[in-house]
Amino acid sequence: MASVSILRSIANNTPYTLSIRNGESKSDLFSIGAQSAWNGCMNVPWIGKISENYKAIELVMGAKAETTLWLFQDYWEPAHENAVKYLFGPEMNYTGETLEVPGNNRGGGNHNLIISLEGNRFSLKMM
């Protein structure tokens, strides 16, 4: 049986405002200021096929909102691992080059997401 991953905290350790929209729950639309955090409860949406791309959590970052990151829980790859993955790009593409979020991203349950800026690149970590 699949386990749901729940974001309990998102730390924005960057000098930019981070805007977040949960595609599965349109009421989840908010921003996190630079060097600030959000605490709450947001399920990471399951995606297992292209027709479910709309469900992903969209994170828009950067000085001119030039970077978009998509966050989701992969239903199939790897099977039975409940991996939280991400993709940088202008649109969500389940069959694109998705990567697992570094850190404790498997097994469902409560997680904290940390977004940092290393040089000129955004990085993620899940705890």
Side-chain angles (χ1 to χ4, degrees), residues 46-56 92-95:
W46 284 103
I47 296 180
K49 53 189 172 185
I50 294 173
S51 64
E52 297 175 326
N53 281 342
Y54 72 92
K55 294 181 184 180
M92 175 58 193
N93 182 2
Y94 175 71
T95 60

Side-chain angles (χ1 to χ4, degrees), residues 24-37:
E24 191 169 45
S25 174
K26 302 297 184 198
S27 63
D28 287 339
L29 175 64
F30 57 94
S31 294
I32 303 171
Q35 302 297 323
S36 296

Side-chain angles (χ1 to χ4, degrees), residues 83-84 86 100-106 111-112 124-127:
V84 177
Y86 70 98
E100 287 191 39
V101 175
N104 180 24
N105 73 39
R106 295 183 178 196
H111 297 279
N112 300 317
L124 303 175
K125 184 173 184 180
M126 189 165 270
M127 302 177 73

Side-chain angles (χ1 to χ4, degrees), residues 26-104:
K26 302 297 184 198
S27 63
D28 287 339
L29 175 64
F30 57 94
S31 294
I32 303 171
Q35 302 297 323
S36 296
W38 166 86
N39 295 298
C41 182
M42 183 185 332
N43 291 355
V44 179
W46 284 103
I47 296 180
K49 53 189 172 185
I50 294 173
S51 64
E52 297 175 326
N53 281 342
Y54 72 92
K55 294 181 184 180
I57 297 172
E58 179 182 15
L59 297 98
V60 180
M61 309 172 265
K64 298 177 183 170
E66 70 272 1
T67 303
T68 302
L69 173 128
W70 305 91
L71 188 72
F72 67 99
Q73 193 164 348
D74 196 327
Y75 194 80
W76 298 111
E77 297 293 330
H80 310 294
E81 295 294 335
N82 310 300
V84 177
K85 292 185 173 182
Y86 70 98
L87 167 75
F88 283 105
E91 61 186 34
M92 175 58 193
N93 182 2
Y94 175 71
T95 60
E97 295 190 28
T98 62
L99 300 168
E100 287 191 39
V101 175
N104 180 24

